[in-house]
Amino acid sequence: MKKVFPLMLLACLGSTFTLLQAQIKTAPTVKTTNGALTGIIEKSGVHAYKGIPFAAPPVGNLRWQPPQPPANWTGIRKADHFAPRTMQAPVFGDMGFRSDGMNEDCLYLNVWTPARKGKTLLPVLVYFYGGGFVAGDGSEARYDGESMAQKGIVALTVNYRLGVFGFLSHPELTKESPSHASGNYGLMDQWAALKWVQENIAAFGGDPKRVTIAGESAGSIAVSALMASPLSKDLFAGAIGESGSVLGALSAVPLSKGEATGEEFAKSIGAASLEALRALPADSLLKLATQFGTFRFPVTVDGYFFTKDPYHVYAAGEQAHVPLLAGWNSEEMGYRAMLGNLPPTKENLVKTIQKLYGHGEVSIMMQKLYNPATDADAEQVATDLASDRFISFSTWKWIDEQVKTSGQPVYRYLFSRPRPAMRASMGNATPGLAGGVIKDKTSAAPKPPAAKGAVHSAEIEYAMGNLSSNKVYAWTPEDYKVSAIMQAYFANFIKNADPNGPGLPKWPAITGTDTVPVMHIDVRTRMEPDQHRQRYLFLDEQAKHAK
């Protein structure tokens, strides 16, 4: 019996393994320009293809080079799990990765597509993650494309290089480049992914003529950048921006400034040449760049991806003339970013504005524009000022320029649904830098006040239909109601270049700058006219003087 029992156990385990294998259904084989691949079928019936290479690994001599075509393969490649995420430091507390580790070999994308029921090609969504161009990954559950695919959309997430790997400029890189450019490799990765989409998405049931690009924060900034680049602006038919644009947030700097930063970095780590920089192991390079300054490698006007400053591109109407849906959240930055630990009062807000802007005409006008009626209103007005300075103004500028110069429909929103309380199981946790949570090790750790509005990045799960993937918060039926409305608007826009549809509050496009309709997305979603245009016009004037 001692010999029989292990054999019986092995037989049972073998049967269980076979059963598990049978439960993981294989998606149909798809033939891409580089070879055939197969994915998996999700429980919803959506076909998912994960970890598809869209460019060659940017390693060795390809470090700090524009993305190169991926190698072809023979046989059928399994696309059944997420590939490695790009090299990055643990900057934000709300990023839940499902990636296969971290590696410099990171240029992969993921596709979710409905099961094919006919030959009609479907609209396509290409989503770029946020994270300040220093963090993020296409495997994050909040960006998952399964829910959008259930709406009849072929959805993609795309990895792109970050930080020093994606944005280092250096005179030696400029010299070796046939285009006499350096930097912006992360943005060029996105461009390469869009070219891949044009060549391959029909095989997944997607229509290459109906591609909408979208993103949040740095992803939104990237969308505005892709619209401004002559390389990429003809590769999509619509755009969605959630909180941020290159016109005021992570703006492009002159190439010479980026090169100077690159030289300073190389000198600080004792790298005397480009060869020495490329010889550094990826882990070492990441550690050294983090010590130098995670956010110190800017987007540049490199003469190749950007042939001129994006401000000038939009002002001249030379950006992509496509429909745009864009907006921001009601609490992109909290009032404490302005007031610190001071109580939110009219007097303290005036003192803060004077500290920032002096006592001259600019300060006087800022006090008029950000003027709470009472002390009770000071917290919200200080929140508005902090949010505008952080990212809201740049999003407004993008929308305003697109209205003036594109001749295409533009839709603006304000998302104001605060997240619900955290689940009790989260225990002693505090909000993270990008709206997520960081577990505290001591019960005495100070906690910031709960947000009264929608914080930066809070809308992602609502818009993408992924609330259930975030186990941090105790979502309510009202949250799912808001998500259903917001996702419906986004899905309609992706399908029809118009967010409107049955059962939704009417959302008019912006037809001029005198009265701008803004869709307020919350439990009571409604359209209201913009009340703060004078704020943004004044901030715009100050930005022009600063440039």
Side-chain angles (χ1 to χ4, degrees), residues 204 213 304 456 477:
F204 296 85
I213 59 174
Y304 180 57
H456 186 62

Side-chain angles (χ1 to χ4, degrees), residues 218-277:
S220 183
I221 293 168
V223 170
S224 68
L226 291 162
M227 288 176 62
S229 173
L231 301 180
S232 54
K233 70 177 185 178
D234 296 324
L235 297 176
F236 48 88
I240 295 175
E242 302 165 50
S243 304
S245 88
V246 74
L247 306 180
L250 301 180
S251 297
V253 304
L255 177 60
S256 59
K257 186 173 182 179
E259 289 177 330
T261 300
E263 284 187 297
E264 181 186 353
F265 169 64
K267 184 178 180 181
S268 74
I269 65 173
S273 66
L274 177 57
E275 183 180 5
L277 284 170

Side-chain angles (χ1 to χ4, degrees), residues 25-312:
K25 297 181 180 180
T26 301
T29 300
V30 172
K31 293 182 179 180
T32 72
T33 54
N34 301 112
L37 50 82
T38 186
I40 60 174
I41 299 178
E42 306 283 11
K43 291 181 179 179
S44 65
V46 166
H47 297 176
Y49 301 83
K50 302 171 183 178
I52 305 171
F54 67 87
V59 300
N61 288 334
L62 293 184
R63 178 186 285 176
W64 302 310
Q65 288 284 352
Q68 302 300 309
N72 296 333
W73 63 84
T74 58
I76 299 176
R77 180 188 181 106
K78 287 187 177 181
D80 56 0
H81 69 282
F82 294 104
R85 64 187 176 275
T86 187
M87 300 299 296
Q88 58 192 275
V91 179
F92 301 109
D94 64 344
M95 293 183 173
F97 303 124
R98 299 177 290 176
S99 50
D100 186 7
M102 183 170 68
N103 200 299
E104 193 173 4
D105 177 3
C106 61
L107 298 184
Y108 300 86
L109 53 77
N110 314 294
V111 180
W112 291 265
T113 183
R116 297 292 295 274
K117 294 182 179 179
K119 295 184 178 180
T120 302
L121 296 179
L122 300 173
V124 179
L125 169 65
V126 181
Y127 201 98
F128 300 109
Y129 51 78
F133 290 144
V134 300
D137 186 58
S139 74
E140 293 181 61
R142 55 184 170 178
Y143 307 126
D144 196 282
E146 183 179 359
S147 183
M148 279 296 186
Q150 290 177 274
K151 303 290 185 183
I153 294 166
V154 178
L156 294 84
T157 59
V158 176
N159 286 4
Y160 58 93
R161 284 172 281 180
L162 299 165
V164 67
F165 296 89
F167 294 93
L168 177 75
S169 294
H170 191 280
E172 283 192 58
L173 284 170
T174 304
K175 184 178 179 180
E176 76 170 17
S177 166
S179 305
H180 305 291
S182 65
N184 295 342
Y185 304 110
L187 294 174
M188 284 188 271
D189 293 340
Q190 297 169 358
W191 164 48
L194 291 176
K195 290 195 294 182
W196 183 96
V197 168
Q198 288 298 312
E199 295 171 357
N200 292 284
I201 206 61
F204 296 85
D207 188 345
K209 296 180 181 179
R210 300 171 66 196
V211 175
T212 297
I213 59 174
E216 184 272 340
S217 195
S220 183
I221 293 168
V223 170
S224 68
L226 291 162
M227 288 176 62
S229 173
L231 301 180
S232 54
K233 70 177 185 178
D234 296 324
L235 297 176
F236 48 88
I240 295 175
E242 302 165 50
S243 304
S245 88
V246 74
L247 306 180
L250 301 180
S251 297
V253 304
L255 177 60
S256 59
K257 186 173 182 179
E259 289 177 330
T261 300
E263 284 187 297
E264 181 186 353
F265 169 64
K267 184 178 180 181
S268 74
I269 65 173
S273 66
L274 177 57
E275 183 180 5
L277 284 170
R278 283 197 171 122
L280 285 168
D283 289 343
S284 299
L285 178 60
L286 175 62
K287 181 178 179 180
L288 292 167
T290 303
Q291 293 170 348
F292 177 73
T294 300
F295 291 91
R296 292 193 63 187
F297 303 97
V299 174
T300 61
V301 183
D302 60 350
Y304 180 57
F305 187 83
F306 290 128
T307 52
K308 62 174 70 173
D309 191 308
Y311 281 92
H312 299 151

